Amino acid sequence: MKSQSIKQFIDHHFRHFNAATLKEAAQGYVKHLESGGKMMVALGGAMSTAELGISLAEMIRQDKVHAISCTGANLEEDIFNLVAHDYYKRIPHYRELSVDEEVALYENHLNRVTDTCIPEEEAMRRIERAILKEWMEADQKKQRFFPHEFLWKVLQSGKLEPFYQIDPKDSWVLAALEKKIFMVVPGWEDSTLGNMYAAHCLLGHVHDPLTVKTGIEYMMALAQYYQETTKKHSLGLFQIGGGISGDFPICVVPMLHQDMQLENIPLWGYFCQISDATTSYGSYSGASPNEKITWGKLAKETPKFMIESDATIVAPLIFSYVLES
């Protein structure tokens, strides 16, 4: 059988149902870029621990992704994987674990994310020690930075390079740093490093909690980015999973138009979400794209796609399709 590229395979085999939507979403992504559009990727779930960086980093390097909105967990877990990959423990039979086996993982400082355990000392505490110095130094100098900027400072310092355990090209955070793409990390407080930061503020190691900039400031920065970008380019949103990483950025349009009463604010020019959430449960994560029309986020003519499937399967396929186009 003649070998096919992933794009050729999808074009030939993906003809109906979620498969057809996947193909149409990938084709729409390519068309959006070819027409001069830019793309923001929203990263929810545990995509970094799922090692999505293998495909996402290349998308960033090849200018197929121009901005990132991610959860604090995805921001940090890409770097946890970068420095501690060999210490991770995969558990293929995770569905069969007993409560006692879960306790044993806890006692061995292995934090489980579905089928993968993140090692506390080699991953979390190693990053904590490195970033705490940056937090304390900024605090002493009365300087303030965003959560991702602090992590970029750690990476730029080179302190972690001796601990790299994967090819750096497979880290999407490193790729984002290299390209200096725009980033927002809404709800960063709900992350391991966010919890650690709160603890160090309570312990008095960091005196001003506002040393790390807030989510409101992220929204203000996003508003500026959106206005500047859409002067020349249509901006699309490719949402992986649900939750705040997608809900936060898409709201910038109605904020600018309805709350600030600004005119001539373009709506999002492309929208795709990969989700397994159920609409009938009142879930924002499962809301159909058309519902977003009523909130002033998407237009009637905006290309809209909802792929109801597993993001760990769908996203790499779409990224591969886009990279081959």
Side-chain angles (χ1 to χ4, degrees), residues 40 66 221 229 258:
M40 169 180 275
H66 309 91
T229 301
Q258 299 173 21

Side-chain angles (χ1 to χ4, degrees), residues 277-295:
T278 304
T279 306
S280 62
Y281 294 158
S283 166
Y284 282 123
S285 299
S288 69
N290 279 355
E291 185 177 301
K292 302 181 192 309
I293 293 174
T294 71
W295 291 84

Side-chain angles (χ1 to χ4, degrees), residues 159-173:
K159 297 174 185 175
L160 296 179
E161 289 183 13
F163 303 105
Y164 287 1
Q165 294 187 347
I166 64 168
D167 191 327
K169 73 178 179 60
D170 292 335
S171 164
W172 73 262
V173 175

Side-chain angles (χ1 to χ4, degrees), residues 187-234:
W188 171 77
E189 297 82 359
D190 178 24
S191 68
T192 298
L193 289 178
N195 295 162
M196 291 173 173
Y197 181 72
H200 286 293
C201 288
L202 288 166
L203 291 168
H205 301 151
V206 177
H207 297 93
D208 183 1
L210 295 180
T211 295
V212 175
K213 290 186 176 181
T214 67
I216 295 299
E217 290 168 285
Y218 263 136
M219 180 56 81
M220 294 167 66
L222 174 59
Q224 293 178 329
Y225 172 81
Y226 192 91
Q227 291 178 88
E228 286 300 315
T229 301
T230 56
K231 286 178 181 178
K232 296 182 179 179
H233 310 277
S234 173

Side-chain angles (χ1 to χ4, degrees), residues 5 45 72 96 98 158 169 175 179 182 215 222 289:
S5 70
E96 304 164 15
S98 68
K169 73 178 179 60
K179 298 291 287 190
F182 178 79
L222 174 59

Side-chain angles (χ1 to χ4, degrees), residues 30-60:
V30 172
K31 184 177 180 180
H32 179 75
L33 296 183
E34 289 179 344
S35 64
K38 301 291 184 180
M39 191 69 74
M40 169 180 275
V41 166
L43 206 56
M47 293 299 104
S48 288
T49 292
E51 300 189 68
L52 190 66
I54 294 171
S55 54
L56 178 57
E58 190 62 21
M59 288 282 285
I60 294 170

